[in-house]
Amino acid sequence: MQKLFINIKELLQIRTNPIDKVSGDAMAILPKIDNAFLLIKDDIIEDFGTMANCPKLENTEVIDATGKVILPTWVDSHTHIVYAGNRIQEFVDRINGLSYEEIANRGGGILNSAKKLNETSEDEIYKQSKLRLEEVMLQGTGAVEIKSGYGLTIDGELKMLRVIKRLKENYSLPIKATFLGAHAFPIEYKENHAAYIDVIINEMLPKIAAENLADYIDAFLETGYFSVDETVKIMEAGRKYGLIPKIHVNQFTAIEGIKACVEQGALSVDHLEIVTDEDIEVLKNSNTMPVALPSCSYFISIPYTPARKMIKAGLPLALATDFNPGTTPSGNMNFVVATACIKMKMTPEEAINAATINGAYAMGISKTHGSITKGKKANIIVTKPLTSYYQLPYEFGNNLIEKVMIDGEFIS
């Protein structure tokens, strides 16, 4: 069955010639067609153009999009959607003055989530996680990466990755699984890092590979967590099983972690609240996508990724939510795009590029998602009537989405 959208006020992110990503000055260019049509056949984008060239078709559902904007669904390339319970008390602790590090040192943070996850059944974790996934889909997310990392035991990590696998099997949007056993050191390994890294490399990885549970490998490369050398060992081990690195780095400190990630062929480096001139030079001419997580900065009051400096230097940038129970309990990409504009001074064009085509690159799916291109998957957002697409970040607290289509079918 074909669907033909007509009278579209603005059709955004149209790419006649497919591209993988946009960088530097090109991020400010968001190709669009005013007064457009869009033809969907089954689950694929078949055609688009101006209404003057709109085809007359039989056996086609015609949808009038007068006054509305259509754009690709958001691509969220960094989340921790699979978890158990919440960390509401830590939210209050931060209000009362405790820092992220202080909360972690008291047994909170990642270790708190690990304790809850290991005490919760796989079925219950799946039930909680599917609700979060359905919520972000309704908010316009049409592709999502999900990390493990709240198990920190062999059984716990496998349990998380199996939940992600079940989500992949039961939902039609692209889901990528990332193994993040190196999220934190369990208490029993706090003074023996080498022993836990041995568990990750020689016990967790073979079992994950045997069940084909992960696409990528990750580590929290940060002062007080995993050092550069430790992370390199983990990246090298992951690559032996075909797992490409996607690494947490430079959230609080810059310790030459980005250099190590680029040398290891990381698909993305994520967080980057602290970025040095040396980091920027390393990222230039690399194939590694920098990923900013502005709603994390908003929630725990840390610096924002220096987007203007990075884009001026010619770098690409992607945006993602970091949806997790401790530092970003929201998967709303609309808020991420708005926050990038408001706090990081990205233009709406840059932010939408970062949340669509560049997000797709950071997930490894830019051949099929992230733009309105013939032959790509029909994953689109249809807005309510708008003055212009600038209204999306401008009205940061309002839901301006009318419908979301995944694989050619409306989910809302």
Side-chain angles (χ1 to χ4, degrees):
M1 181 66 177
Q2 296 189 132
K3 296 181 176 70
L4 178 65
F5 294 87
I6 61 172
N7 303 320
I8 304 165
K9 183 180 177 71
E10 295 172 310
L11 181 62
L12 304 184
Q13 191 58 286
I14 56 105
R15 302 282 177 176
T16 304
N17 298 314
I19 59 169
D20 289 336
K21 61 183 177 180
V22 289
S23 306
D25 292 343
M27 287 196 65
I29 302 168
L30 182 66
K32 73 183 181 88
I33 300 174
D34 295 331
N35 192 27
F37 77 89
L38 174 65
L39 178 62
I40 306 295
K41 184 176 181 181
D42 299 323
D43 61 344
I44 297 295
I45 295 170
E46 181 78 5
D47 198 8
F48 57 85
T50 64
M51 280 303 296
N53 297 314
C54 184
K56 291 181 171 60
L57 302 168
E58 296 182 354
N59 302 317
T60 300
E61 179 184 356
V62 178
I63 303 165
D64 190 349
T66 298
K68 300 170 185 177
V69 174
I70 292 182
L71 67 157
T73 48
W74 307 125
V75 178
D76 192 349
S77 67
H78 182 126
T79 83
H80 306 256
I81 282 175
V82 171
Y83 60 86
N86 60 59
R87 293 192 347 227
I88 291 173
Q89 184 56 50
E90 294 177 17
F91 169 65
V92 178
D93 290 340
R94 272 194 301 276
I95 292 171
N96 287 325
L98 291 183
S99 69
Y100 182 94
E101 292 83 358
E102 288 168 333
I103 290 169
N105 290 335
R106 289 177 16 161
I110 295 163
L111 296 182
N112 184 3
S113 284
K115 182 175 184 294
K116 290 176 180 175
L117 183 124
N118 284 299
E119 293 171 348
T120 306
S121 72
E122 183 177 315
D123 284 344
E124 178 57 29
I125 295 166
Y126 176 79
K127 287 177 186 176
Q128 293 181 24
S129 301
K130 72 187 280 289
L131 293 177
R132 298 181 197 112
L133 181 62
E134 289 168 1
E135 180 180 44
V136 301
M137 290 170 68
L138 291 172
Q139 292 170 342
T141 293
V144 64
E145 179 260 18
I146 308 175
K147 302 177 189 295
S148 68
Y150 292 131
L152 306 185
T153 63
I154 297 169
D155 289 344
E157 291 296 306
L158 288 171
K159 180 162 59 174
M160 290 189 75
L161 289 166
R162 286 171 183 148
V163 168
I164 298 170
K165 185 177 182 180
R166 287 172 66 180
L167 293 171
K168 281 187 180 186
E169 292 168 347
N170 293 328
Y171 291 86
S172 58
L173 79 169
I175 297 174
K176 294 288 188 177
T178 299
F179 168 50
L180 179 56
H183 203 186
F185 287 97
I187 293 172
E188 60 269 32
Y189 293 103
K190 197 167 182 62
E191 304 303 325
N192 191 356
H193 288 192
Y196 183 60
I197 291 169
D198 183 69
V199 170
I200 291 172
I201 293 173
N202 296 315
E203 297 185 50
M204 293 184 183
L205 268 172
K207 292 184 177 181
I208 290 163
E211 293 188 42
N212 193 27
L213 291 174
D215 303 291
Y216 302 114
I217 191 163
D218 195 352
F220 190 10
L221 199 175
E222 183 55 75
T223 301
Y225 289 84
F226 290 80
S227 70
V228 172
D229 288 344
E230 290 167 343
T231 303
V232 168
K233 287 180 184 177
I234 291 162
M235 288 191 282
E236 289 176 341
R239 293 193 70 89
K240 290 177 182 177
Y241 291 98
L243 305 184
I244 299 169
K246 280 173 60 67
I247 306 296
H248 286 64
V249 64
N250 283 46
Q251 183 173 4
F252 302 113
T253 58
I255 54 175
E256 297 191 353
I258 289 176
K259 181 174 183 288
C261 293
V262 169
E263 289 173 350
Q264 288 292 319
L267 177 61
S268 71
V269 284
D270 302 25
H271 270 295
L272 312 184
E273 288 85 351
I274 307 298
V275 179
T276 67
D277 291 341
E278 291 76 16
D279 292 328
I280 288 174
E281 288 303 312
V282 166
L283 285 166
K284 283 182 180 179
N285 303 314
S286 79
N287 294 317
T288 301
M289 176 64 70
V291 180
L293 311 171
S295 48
C296 177
S297 296
Y298 172 87
F299 191 72
I300 63 172
S301 300
I302 61 175
Y304 289 87
T305 301
R308 290 265 52 88
K309 180 179 180 180
M310 296 169 72
I311 293 170
K312 184 178 180 182
L315 296 182
L317 188 63
L319 291 170
T321 65
D322 195 23
F323 191 179
N324 76 80
T327 61
T328 322
S330 168
N332 190 335
M333 281 291 289
N334 305 285
F335 179 75
V336 167
V337 168
T339 304
C341 294
I342 297 163
K343 294 296 185 181
M344 293 163 58
K345 304 304 179 188
M346 294 178 72
T347 66
E349 292 84 357
E350 290 169 339
I352 291 171
N353 275 322
T356 54
I357 191 68
N358 282 2
Y361 182 94
M363 256 188 76
I365 60 168
S366 53
K367 301 296 184 191
T368 54
H369 294 80
S371 67
I372 303 295
T373 300
K374 292 178 185 179
K376 283 195 175 186
K377 288 288 190 176
N379 286 18
I380 62 170
I381 293 170
V382 182
T383 72
K384 298 171 183 176
L386 301 180
T387 303
S388 85
Y389 68 90
Y390 287 172
Q391 203 168 334
L392 292 168
Y394 170 72
E395 293 190 18
F396 68 93
N398 294 339
N399 176 19
L400 300 178
I401 295 174
E402 183 174 273
K403 290 185 176 182
V404 177
M405 175 180 282
I406 305 289
D407 275 5
E409 298 294 333
F410 286 119
I411 63 165
S412 62

